Amino acid sequence: LRADQSVAGLVITMRDVTERRRLERELTHQPFHDSLTGLANRVLFADRLDHALARGARDGSVVGVLFIDLDDFKIVNDTLGHAVGDQLLIAVADRIAGALRADDTAARLGGDEFAALVENVQDPGAVEETATRILAALAEPILVDGQELQAVASIGITTTPEADTAAELLRQAD
């Protein structure tokens, strides 16, 4: 249009959609992630577990589920308060996620219960190694509001050689 002699000017309309895009991303993130820790929630974990089982059935790889429960977490909430308990849960979530590989999924199922999905491994021993890494990560004291807290966890482990459905894997790991 600039080369056209009859055009004397151009009108450009612009709109900043940054905030709208941020809200859209947040709205698609919320239904599948825990609001406190940012980890996958039970719905997303179940979906990823179903996909992992289908992939494992096709390629023969092992799928493992770790059920992680913090021991005596209620004492932290009762003696130090829920704000400290929340900070402890956030720190534990970060450590669990940090102990996993990029292919794995960490989730908070509710309260002080977490889960990890280990997929694309050929040996059930790799799932046990993941549990060992998580326990090692949680063994270090966690500093919350100037206090050193210890996150002691119990981990239940199961793999596809022991169970072949998502519900069965979760039940056995629990």
Side-chain angles (χ1 to χ4, degrees), residues 117-130:
L117 170 62
V118 180
E119 54 183 310
N120 297 327
V121 294
Q122 299 305 317
D123 176 26
V127 179
E128 291 179 28
E129 290 172 12
T130 302

Side-chain angles (χ1 to χ4, degrees), residues 49-102:
L49 179 55
D50 287 338
H51 286 282
L53 287 171
R55 213 173 12 262
R58 282 193 308 272
D59 65 15
S61 64
V62 174
V63 176
V65 172
L66 307 175
F67 191 88
I68 307 154
D69 186 46
L70 295 182
D71 299 338
D72 301 324
F73 179 72
K74 184 177 180 338
I75 294 171
V76 172
N77 272 344
D78 290 347
T79 59
L80 301 174
H82 290 276
V84 172
D86 286 350
Q87 292 303 312
L88 180 62
L89 289 172
I90 292 168
V92 165
D94 288 343
R95 290 192 181 185
I96 291 171
L100 299 179
R101 300 168 308 142

Side-chain angles (χ1 to χ4, degrees), residues 131-142:
T132 302
R133 283 196 313 272
I134 291 171
L135 287 174
L138 295 177
E140 296 292 320
I142 297 172

Side-chain angles (χ1 to χ4, degrees), residues 28-34 39-45:
T28 56
H29 181 83
Q30 284 178 351
F32 303 108
H33 293 84
D34 177 62
L39 294 180
N41 64 13
R42 187 179 296 273
V43 173
L44 181 57
F45 186 80

